[in-house]
Amino acid sequence: MWVPQLSEFNQPMYLAIADALARDISNGVLNKGERLPTLRELATALDVTPGTISRAYSEAQRRRLVQGEVGRGTYVLSQKQPEPATSNSPASLNLGQPELLDLSIIKPGSETLEHWLRDALMNLARSTDFAGALDYAPDGGHPAHREAGAQWLRHALPDAQWQQVIITAGAQHGLMVAMSALTNAGDLVLCEALCYPGIISLAHGLERRLRGVPMDDEGIIPEALRELCLREKPAMLVCVATCQNPTAAIMSQKRRAQIAALAEEFDFIILDDDIYGFLATDPSIKPLSAFAPDRSVYLTSLSKSVMPALRIGYLHSPPKWLSRLSSMVRSSVWMPSPLTAQLASNVISEGMDRKLIRIHRNEAAARQAIAREIFARFELKAQPYSYHAWLTLPEPWTSDEFTLLARANGVLVLSGTQFQAERSGTTRSVRLVLMSPTSQDELRFALTKLASLIEFDPRRYY
């Protein structure tokens, strides 16, 4: 089996493997038509993840060194070397932009997802349910798909019933459905003072008045919420109580009960966005909506917990709002894809979801350890299993300055100003997504670059 020698390479692992492959093809170590090791075989030999090998093979295929064939493997294409430039042929310079190391998109690690998804798709194609997944679905989704959603929800809501589940085309669609169906134009919608930008754009697009509630290390401060409610009447509170985006805060059960009590007292709806609930440090902690079930809509999805390709969300609602929610799904997209919903149902019924969650949690914990090591001298807020971290920069940095400099140096992060529900000046924090890089080596490389940039006075760069 071909195993590359990498000691001479000082760069991200996937590029080192691709360069070693090019070298060995050039030297005749590998011949045209020769089959390369599988992703798992080479990953085991090099003690890296299969995702790193997958990325290396993709890079080699981009260079036209190899060709991958579904179901057969990856094969060497050619031993030809590029012809040297002559005086009659102009030199060709490849001065393309360097690849950005993207730490801006929250998603599960991609190392093994390709293999899981391929197997799931093949199982779906062979399934007796395949034909039924090709037709229109009834309002709310097929009962079987809703039952699978209830099965998924029962890890957080033990009494979840399929009749109270509405299928959506992902969590963002679920947010839109709930906010559109249960509030009106001009209504006041509350959220965390620092919140997911999708909430901000959605509220403004729907012509809702958005107000951010002050926060501490647990998230929304109950006393601040009460003061807001005494001044104005909110229609809805959108809250991410576990691994909040962007601060990674986890709200205690005591505080969740306090927030629920305020919802009862001031008669507003809770939209419990529990998309990161599976990353809780204490899995026994109850969702926010469990403390006020009659006035809460619980929302989650599979795109963060299982794989991004599964754009399926689940809304669990009291019976009184089900018709309004399902009507809004029909008005917005008519129906989420039954084919994707069937694939999601198979993943859940076969237990693949729990296996992937364990993989993602373990990977997140390893990456959090890397971040803590590199940023040991800085203020970094995170959770043991969260996908992201909230980094506060030392003075005189601002988040916008640092974000621009990081991008100029090949690393993409999001400035804290993008998370302000109400723009209120500059911030000194940036969000770092730890799961986006393909490998832990690539993450370490990106974070080390960021840490080195922080060490210098920003005025030196202007």
Side-chain angles (χ1 to χ4, degrees):
M1 184 179 78
W2 175 74
V3 178
Q5 299 301 311
L6 303 175
S7 57
E8 65 189 73
F9 296 102
N10 183 23
Q11 56 186 315
M13 180 64 74
Y14 79 96
L15 289 177
I17 296 170
D19 287 350
L21 185 58
R23 177 200 62 201
D24 288 353
I25 291 174
S26 175
N27 293 341
V29 175
L30 290 169
N31 300 313
K32 182 178 180 180
E34 188 168 343
R35 186 178 185 274
L36 294 177
T38 67
L39 302 184
R40 294 191 182 279
E41 287 172 343
L42 193 52
T44 301
L46 296 177
D47 193 24
V48 297
T49 65
T52 298
I53 306 302
S54 175
R55 191 167 187 186
Y57 282 4
S58 296
E59 173 65 19
Q61 186 163 323
R62 186 186 68 80
R63 301 182 193 180
R64 301 184 183 280
L65 298 170
V66 301
Q67 178 65 51
E69 299 181 22
V70 177
R72 296 190 63 231
T74 302
Y75 295 83
V76 175
L77 273 182
S78 175
Q79 291 179 273
K80 292 182 179 179
Q81 290 297 298
E83 296 180 3
T86 66
S87 58
N88 295 325
S89 59
S92 177
L93 296 178
N94 182 10
L95 298 179
Q97 291 295 319
E99 182 182 23
L100 281 173
L101 296 168
D102 192 346
L103 306 187
S104 69
I105 300 176
I106 297 183
K107 60 181 181 179
S110 60
E111 287 85 348
T112 60
L113 294 186
E114 177 185 339
H115 313 288
W116 287 96
L117 183 56
R118 182 181 290 112
D119 291 343
L121 288 169
M122 291 175 66
N123 291 338
L124 174 60
R126 293 192 293 261
S127 169
T128 57
D129 299 320
F130 183 62
L134 304 180
D135 203 351
Y136 282 91
D139 282 355
H142 283 298
H145 299 163
R146 295 166 70 185
E147 173 55 40
Q151 181 181 334
W152 166 257
L153 295 179
R154 287 180 193 126
H155 295 283
L157 299 175
D159 298 327
Q161 300 297 315
W162 74 265
Q163 294 91 340
Q164 293 177 246
V165 173
I166 301 291
I167 307 291
T168 68
Q172 180 68 22
H173 181 232
L175 285 170
M176 187 278 291
V177 166
M179 195 179 295
S180 299
L182 303 180
T183 67
N184 298 306
D187 279 352
L188 177 62
V189 173
L190 303 180
C191 64
E192 294 97 342
L194 294 168
C195 71
Y196 164 56
I199 296 173
I200 301 172
S201 61
L202 178 62
H204 289 301
L206 294 176
E207 298 183 339
R208 272 54 169 176
R209 293 181 295 124
L210 189 67
R211 186 73 55 82
V213 185
M215 306 168 64
D216 61 14
D217 288 343
E218 279 194 37
I220 286 176
I221 301 171
E223 294 76 13
L225 176 59
R226 168 178 279 278
E227 290 179 11
L228 258 172
C229 292
L230 289 171
R231 293 198 302 269
E232 295 190 71
K233 179 174 174 52
M236 174 178 283
L237 169 67
V238 184
C239 185
V240 182
T242 299
C243 292
Q244 197 266 345
N245 182 11
T247 66
I250 294 182
M251 191 180 289
S252 67
Q253 290 218 144
K254 177 182 177 182
R255 183 166 298 190
R256 295 178 194 223
Q258 291 173 318
I259 300 294
L262 289 171
E264 295 283 356
E265 180 180 354
F266 291 99
D267 190 29
F268 59 80
I269 296 168
I270 295 174
L271 178 48
D272 182 10
D273 185 355
D274 199 32
I275 192 171
Y276 303 113
F278 68 99
L279 297 174
T281 309
D282 178 5
S284 67
I285 193 168
K286 294 180 180 179
L288 174 59
S289 55
F291 294 90
D294 291 335
R295 60 174 56 255
S296 299
V297 175
Y298 179 86
L299 170 65
T300 189
S301 81
L302 300 182
S303 60
K304 307 296 186 187
S305 53
V306 179
M307 57 184 77
L310 285 182
R311 304 299 302 173
I312 288 294
Y314 301 110
L315 283 170
H316 190 270
S317 164
K320 60 186 176 182
W321 295 329
L322 288 172
S323 60
R324 292 160 66 179
L325 293 169
S326 60
S327 294
M328 187 54 62
V329 170
R330 185 172 62 250
S331 298
S332 56
V333 297
W334 189 262
M335 64 177 184
S337 166
L339 192 61
T340 307
Q342 183 62 53
L343 178 60
S345 299
N346 290 355
V347 167
I348 293 169
S349 63
E350 294 166 8
M352 188 189 302
D353 56 332
R354 310 318 300 181
K355 294 177 183 177
L356 286 173
I357 283 175
R358 286 194 293 271
I359 291 172
H360 297 328
R361 281 172 61 95
N362 290 339
E363 182 67 20
R367 295 186 179 218
Q368 287 289 349
I370 293 172
R372 288 194 301 271
E373 172 195 338
I374 293 174
F375 294 106
R377 292 174 289 106
F378 304 107
E379 183 181 344
L380 188 74
K381 295 181 180 179
Q383 300 296 336
Y385 303 104
S386 62
Y387 286 177
H388 66 283
W390 187 239
L391 174 66
T392 299
L393 304 164
E395 293 182 344
W397 281 110
T398 68
S399 60
D400 289 342
E401 286 175 331
F402 186 77
T403 299
L404 289 173
L405 181 62
R407 185 183 182 94
N409 282 269
V411 184
L412 187 61
V413 299
L414 289 188
S415 166
T417 57
Q418 294 183 254
F419 299 94
Q420 293 178 325
E422 302 169 79
R423 288 300 174 94
S424 55
T426 60
T427 70
R428 287 193 297 111
S429 296
V430 294
R431 190 191 69 183
L432 310 177
V433 177
L434 308 182
M435 298 290 276
S436 290
T438 301
S439 68
Q440 293 180 22
D441 289 337
E442 188 175 88
L443 174 68
R444 182 178 292 276
F445 182 77
L447 295 184
T448 301
K449 290 184 72 173
L450 293 177
S452 69
L453 293 176
I454 297 174
E455 297 287 352
F456 297 95
D457 190 316
R459 289 166 293 193
R460 291 183 58 182
Y461 297 104
Y462 298 96

